[in-house]
Amino acid sequence: MAVDLQICEDPARTCAELLVEVASGGGHLVLAGGSTPRAAYEAAAAQGGDWGRATVWFGDERCVDPADERSNFKMVKESLLDRLDGEQPVVKRISGERGPAEAAAAYEDELRAAVPPEFGLVLLGLGPDGHTASLFPDQASLLERDRLALGVEEAGLEPFVPRVTLTLPLLGGGQQIIFLVSGQSKAGAVSAAFGPDAKPDPTVPASMLPPFASEVTVLLDKAAASGVPGP
Ligand code: 6PG
């Protein structure tokens, strides 16, 4: 379970190249929400590629209407899907507006019906508190080993709305696990989750992912990397 920290001049562009490569190969991609990946999705749309055979999933979603500014689907639609020139991918939206428990159960059914059994690329973000997807510090969701998707009644960081999240075993099972992290505000979380002394710790959810993965790649800028010793 190697963790590869890659300090990039433009992490979003590097991430976009990986997204386009997997999409053009007809792979299944799990996309991250939040704000950081918006630039990567815009860059991916600008790079083109053939998304017509790809399938897009979501690592988590806020339990709001898909037209709500807080919706991860809305962010992906605006920054990627609406900007694609060619065919659209299959989009597996989390129906967060149904509420956490019902939406998680419905997504679980879709995930279990999906083929192939694993994702080509899982893209994740990192919160300043070390959360990833909607796996928040010290929550029971971190202990889930059977369910693929869970409802989260209380978010540990804004927006404080209920969520749906994929679980660690599923997120860690992808062929490529990519964290995209930028900014000084994430430096502490990067160090705690992926630094030389990091170990799985429920107060830092992202630190619990590497044991489920064969390899984790962290694409980050110098500011986000300032908390870990240089190469
Ligand atoms: C979400 C995201 C979440 C995000 C981190 C970082 O729904 O909020 O999936 O896990 O990746 O909170 O968010 P920023 O990129 O906005 O800092």
Side-chain angles (χ1 to χ4, degrees), residues 4 20-21 24 41 46-47 51 55 58 60 79 83 85 113-114 120 140 148 151 159-160 175 188 213:
D4 176 22
V20 170
E21 182 183 4
S24 298
Y41 301 150
Q47 287 175 17
W51 287 75
T55 301
F58 290 79
D60 74 325
S79 58
R83 295 167 181 247
D85 291 330
L148 304 179
F160 292 103
Q175 289 167 341

Side-chain angles (χ1 to χ4, degrees), residues 51-230:
W51 287 75
R53 293 184 299 120
T55 301
V56 165
W57 301 82
F58 290 79
D60 74 325
E61 184 56 277
R62 290 80 179 271
C63 291
V64 296
D65 187 275
D68 188 299
E69 278 309 309
R70 296 166 294 182
S71 163
N72 287 335
F73 167 77
K74 184 175 192 292
M75 184 272 288
V76 169
K77 183 176 184 298
E78 290 172 348
S79 58
L80 175 66
L81 303 177
D82 290 351
R83 295 167 181 247
L84 293 176
D85 291 330
E87 279 184 65
Q88 287 285 307
V90 171
V91 178
K92 299 285 192 181
R93 185 179 72 83
I94 299 176
S95 51
E97 66 279 12
R98 297 167 64 178
E102 192 178 325
Y107 212 56
E108 176 110 10
D109 290 345
E110 283 201 83
L111 286 160
R112 291 198 183 281
V115 177
E118 67 174 9
F119 298 117
L121 187 149
V122 174
L123 178 62
L124 292 164
L126 181 67
D129 60 348
H131 85 263
T132 191
S134 283
L135 298 164
F136 292 102
D138 291 319
Q139 290 199 354
S141 57
L142 296 170
L143 306 177
E144 180 58 50
R145 296 295 177 265
D146 300 318
R147 291 282 304 274
L148 304 179
L150 286 177
V152 178
E153 291 296 338
E154 287 193 29
L157 207 64
E158 72 278 355
F160 292 103
V161 293
R163 311 285 191 94
V164 173
T165 189
L166 299 193
T167 54
L168 286 169
L170 183 62
L171 292 171
Q175 289 167 341
Q176 291 186 78
I177 317 291
I178 308 289
F179 279 87
L180 177 61
V181 192
S182 63
Q184 186 66 40
S185 69
K186 306 293 179 72
V190 167
S191 175
F194 307 120
D197 302 327
K199 56 187 182 305
D201 176 352
T203 67
V204 186
S207 70
M208 298 180 69
L209 191 109
F212 291 93
S214 53
E215 181 170 341
V216 170
T217 299
V218 184
L219 303 177
L220 68 174
D221 61 10
K222 281 184 184 164
S226 58
V228 290

